[in-house]
Amino acid sequence: KMSAVFLLLLVSTANVSAVLEKGLPRREPRRLSCVRCCGPSEQPVSIISSRYTRMSSDPAYSVPKVQPTIDITILKGEKGEMGEKGYPGAVGKEGERGLRGLNGRKGQKGQPGPQGHSCKQLYAAFSVGRRKPLHSSDYFQHVTFDTEFVNLYKHFNMFSGKFFCYVAGVYYFSLNVHTWNFKETYLHLMKNEKEVAILYAQPSDRSIMQSQSLMLDLQEGEEVWVRMFKRERENAIYSEESDVYIIFNGHLIKPAVE
């Protein structure tokens, strides 16, 4: 009996296998084929990355996007040193004039100035001339004058031929002479004992008018005068009794203390 049962089971199993083989379609073995997945300049994608791409495209396998936040204060470095000063830029356009400001406070009263001289006049002027010609006989020869046009307060001494400064300040002086034919003309305009300007004309067959002028800052007590300077040649200035060819002028422009 046991043998018969065993044989029956074998027959049944064989029949079932035959039925299953006839009912189910056979699957052909899958053949692998090469598929181009990237261009010549691209790198091949790994199997894991391609799988991740398929999974991420599928809604069932979508992965939530994560946006990390970075604390910038952690990455901020220390403050650097100040750089060198740059070149100045171009000058801008001049702005409009602003409104006039308020008046300032009145200042304190100043100290009184030095007491002036009750008899002193803050004016000085002279104009003198010479009608006689003059030849230099010495190395230095003082020039005097014989005609007085203007001599305010007698500051010019007609006897010595010198202007004496009574009022300190800035003065203007001018000297005009007439040269002599074939003779040299050489004069010094003097301040005290020092020459400060020269009037010169070379010898010529024609006589001419020659002039010199300058301004001087004088202190009280200083003197201004004219002298002739003789060299190898004869030195002379021309004039006539009927007319004046030699004139010396001076006047105060601005006193030192007003």
Side-chain angles (χ1 to χ4, degrees):
K1 290 181 177 180
M2 291 297 292
S3 299
V5 172
F6 181 73
L7 288 173
L8 183 60
L9 291 172
L10 287 174
V11 173
S12 301
T13 304
N15 292 333
V16 171
S17 298
V19 173
L20 293 174
E21 289 179 359
K22 290 179 180 180
L24 297 173
R26 292 185 179 180
R27 294 182 180 179
E28 295 182 359
R30 187 176 183 181
R31 296 180 181 179
L32 300 175
S33 60
C34 295
V35 179
R36 184 169 182 174
C37 61
C38 57
S41 62
E42 298 176 354
Q43 295 294 333
V45 182
S46 63
I47 298 173
I48 298 173
S49 62
S50 61
R51 182 181 178 186
Y52 175 77
T53 304
R54 292 196 304 272
M55 293 177 65
S56 60
S57 61
D58 191 351
Y61 298 98
S62 61
V63 180
K65 295 182 180 180
V66 180
Q67 296 182 352
T69 57
I70 302 175
D71 191 356
I72 300 177
T73 58
I74 299 176
L75 302 178
K76 187 176 181 181
E78 297 180 357
K79 185 177 181 181
E81 297 180 356
M82 182 179 291
E84 297 180 357
K85 186 177 181 180
Y87 294 102
V91 179
K93 296 181 179 179
E94 185 177 358
E96 297 180 358
R97 186 174 182 178
L99 299 175
R100 184 175 181 180
L102 301 175
N103 295 331
R105 296 181 179 179
K106 188 176 180 180
Q108 297 180 356
K109 187 176 180 180
Q111 298 180 356
Q115 185 176 0
H117 197 283
S118 58
C119 299
K120 194 174 212 179
Q121 301 292 333
L122 299 181
Y123 302 97
F126 71 91
S127 179
V128 294
R130 182 181 176 93
R131 296 180 182 271
K132 297 179 181 180
L134 182 64
H135 287 77
S136 60
S137 56
D138 298 329
Y139 188 68
F140 292 124
Q141 185 170 340
H142 196 133
V143 179
T144 57
F145 299 87
D146 52 26
T147 304
E148 183 180 85
F149 298 107
V150 175
N151 191 5
L152 193 61
Y153 306 119
K154 303 298 179 179
H155 290 179
F156 189 89
N157 190 327
M158 296 296 294
F159 179 77
S160 65
K162 293 182 178 181
F163 168 75
F164 186 87
C165 179
Y166 287 95
V167 182
V170 178
Y171 285 79
Y172 175 84
F173 296 95
S174 64
L175 176 64
N176 300 273
V177 300
H178 194 285
T179 64
W180 204 310
N181 295 358
F182 304 105
K183 297 180 182 180
E184 188 177 42
T185 301
Y186 203 145
L187 295 96
H188 287 155
L189 195 60
M190 305 292 295
K191 176 183 175 181
N192 299 326
E193 298 301 322
K194 182 179 179 181
E195 63 272 10
V196 292
I198 296 173
L199 187 152
Y200 178 77
Q202 292 181 343
S204 175
D205 58 348
R206 298 179 62 183
S207 59
I208 59 173
M209 292 294 298
Q210 195 80 344
S211 64
Q212 178 65 280
S213 60
L214 78 164
M215 289 190 293
L216 294 175
D217 190 0
L218 300 181
Q219 303 297 323
E220 186 176 354
E222 292 185 316
E223 294 178 322
V224 179
W225 50 286
V226 181
R227 75 178 182 186
M228 298 183 70
F229 174 53
K230 182 180 179 181
R231 301 193 297 179
E232 294 81 7
R233 299 176 181 178
E234 186 178 5
N235 188 6
I237 50 179
Y238 177 80
S239 190
E240 293 180 353
E241 290 290 341
S242 60
D243 208 346
V244 180
Y245 288 86
I246 304 168
I247 298 176
F248 185 32
N249 300 320
H251 67 272
L252 175 65
I253 298 176
K254 183 180 182 303
V257 179
E258 295 183 356

